[in-house]
Amino acid sequence: MSVQMQLWDEPVKTLAIPQLPVQPKSPEPAPQKAPQEATARSKTKSDVLSTLRNQIRKVETARQPQASAISSGVSSLDDVLPQKGYPPGSLVEWIDSGQAGGAAWLSLLGAARAYKHSGNKVVILDPDRTFYPPAAIACGLPAEAMILLQPQSSDDLIWAMDQSLRSSAVSAVWGKLDRLEDIDARRLQLAAETGGTLGMLLRPAKAIGQPSWAEVRWHVHGVPAPTDRTSPWKTSHGDRLLSVRLLRARGASAGEHFWLQIDPQSRITRRECLHDSKSAQHLAAELAHPKAAGRRQQARRA
């Protein structure tokens, strides 16, 4: 009997073999850097501080490009300011000491320029009732441009200044502030930014060491100009000398110090300091009383 075998060609089925996850090799620990190499690549403390100063300066000087600066009314002051004037919507503090009322005069010149810049009113805050309108008119501020307010209390003064600074119909606010709390200073600074108004704040000499939210701070010390030959500069009768020092300006280095000589016709001449190592008060004493200063020096030598 023969057996017949039949071969059947069936398709071969492919079995899916699951792929087992391959365990990655544990990374070898990175070779530790030598202490000298790590120290060389790390920034020093001075580098970090320098970088932070540059970043802060960029933030402080960031302003709206369309807002043009307001001239101070004196070219010698504009020359030391970063924007060659005062940014709209900022506070300017004037620390006044000495004689001749130089800070009030210079601040009124700036208020007059703010009026010419926008054509809006200038609010004058006079709690002591000592404001002299003809002096403002002589600085270029017309009588019809001034709004005179006489607050009865310090709270009313801060409120009136805050509301005036917030008004877009006001170009500048000028006023004397004997005492100013830090929270009120911040309030006025925000009000000036809101209204785009220039604030001119006259402060006493005791405020020179207090914190400030002002964009610019000036220290002005006025003395009568000497008329004898011992004066280091040529002066005549009726001239005034103002020692001006830049205490603060965003984006600029503080400490700029110079003198302004003003003749009876209000013409201004800048004079450079002769003794940088001496304070403005000491130099003012020598200029105002040169003979007395000479006697003091002789007494010290003796």
Side-chain angles (χ1 to χ4, degrees):
M1 177 188 229
S2 61
V3 179
Q4 186 177 1
M5 299 182 65
Q6 221 174 6
L7 298 176
W8 300 88
D9 295 328
E10 294 181 358
V12 179
K13 297 181 179 180
T14 303
L15 298 178
I17 301 175
Q19 299 291 334
L20 297 178
V22 179
Q23 295 293 336
K25 296 182 179 180
S26 58
E28 297 180 357
Q32 296 182 355
K33 297 179 180 179
Q36 295 180 354
E37 182 180 357
T39 305
R41 293 186 178 181
S42 62
K43 289 186 176 181
T44 61
K45 183 179 179 180
S46 60
D47 294 335
V48 174
L49 292 176
S50 178
T51 303
L52 290 176
R53 290 192 191 99
N54 294 333
Q55 293 176 353
I56 292 174
R57 183 171 296 179
K58 290 180 181 179
V59 173
E60 289 181 339
T61 55
R63 288 277 173 181
Q64 296 181 358
Q66 67 273 17
S68 58
I70 301 172
S71 172
S72 66
V74 181
S75 59
S76 298
L77 301 184
D78 290 340
D79 291 340
V80 301
L81 295 175
Q83 301 185 26
K84 304 303 179 182
Y86 304 128
S90 61
L91 298 180
V92 181
E93 275 194 1
W94 297 86
I95 310 297
D96 195 3
S97 62
Q99 308 172 22
W105 180 66
L106 293 175
S107 59
L108 283 173
L109 289 176
R113 285 304 184 99
Y115 167 72
K116 295 179 181 179
H117 185 268
S118 64
N120 295 327
K121 301 292 185 178
V122 175
V123 176
I124 306 295
L125 297 172
D126 182 30
D128 300 333
R129 292 170 173 77
T130 57
F131 180 73
Y132 188 57
I137 295 174
C139 291
L141 189 59
E144 61 273 12
M146 292 183 283
I147 299 177
L148 181 61
L149 302 179
Q150 296 177 335
Q152 300 293 329
S153 64
S154 58
D155 292 339
D156 292 342
L157 174 62
I158 296 298
W159 181 86
M161 183 168 289
D162 174 82
Q163 296 300 308
S164 300
L165 289 171
R166 292 180 184 276
S167 176
S168 58
V170 176
S171 60
V173 178
W174 184 94
K176 297 180 180 180
L177 291 174
D178 290 337
R179 293 187 303 173
L180 183 61
E181 301 294 336
D182 186 64
I183 187 173
D184 291 331
R186 175 60 170 164
R187 173 185 173 185
L188 296 179
Q189 186 256 341
L190 293 175
E193 289 185 355
T194 301
T197 309
L198 184 65
M200 292 290 185
L201 312 182
L202 268 70
R203 307 297 314 283
K206 61 183 179 181
I208 192 171
Q210 299 176 1
S212 172
W213 288 92
E215 182 90 7
V216 180
R217 295 188 88 194
W218 299 102
H219 180 211
V220 181
H221 183 86
V223 297
T227 56
D228 52 16
R229 295 181 180 180
T230 59
S231 172
W233 303 310
K234 183 179 179 180
T235 57
S236 58
H237 180 72
D239 288 358
R240 294 184 296 165
L241 287 175
L242 299 179
S243 167
V244 181
R245 185 184 297 274
L246 180 64
L247 298 179
R248 170 185 171 87
R250 295 184 187 272
S253 299
E256 187 78 19
H257 182 205
F258 52 90
W259 288 78
L260 297 179
Q261 180 179 338
I262 303 98
D263 64 11
Q265 287 75 36
S266 297
R267 290 175 295 193
I268 303 174
T269 304
R270 173 167 173 162
R271 303 293 189 182
E272 299 301 328
C273 294
L274 301 179
H275 307 287
D276 294 336
S277 60
K278 295 186 178 181
S279 64
Q281 289 81 359
H282 293 168
L283 183 56
E286 293 183 6
L287 291 172
H289 306 286
K291 294 182 179 179
R295 289 195 296 268
R296 287 196 298 268
Q297 291 180 358
Q298 293 178 359
R300 293 193 192 102
R301 294 173 182 174

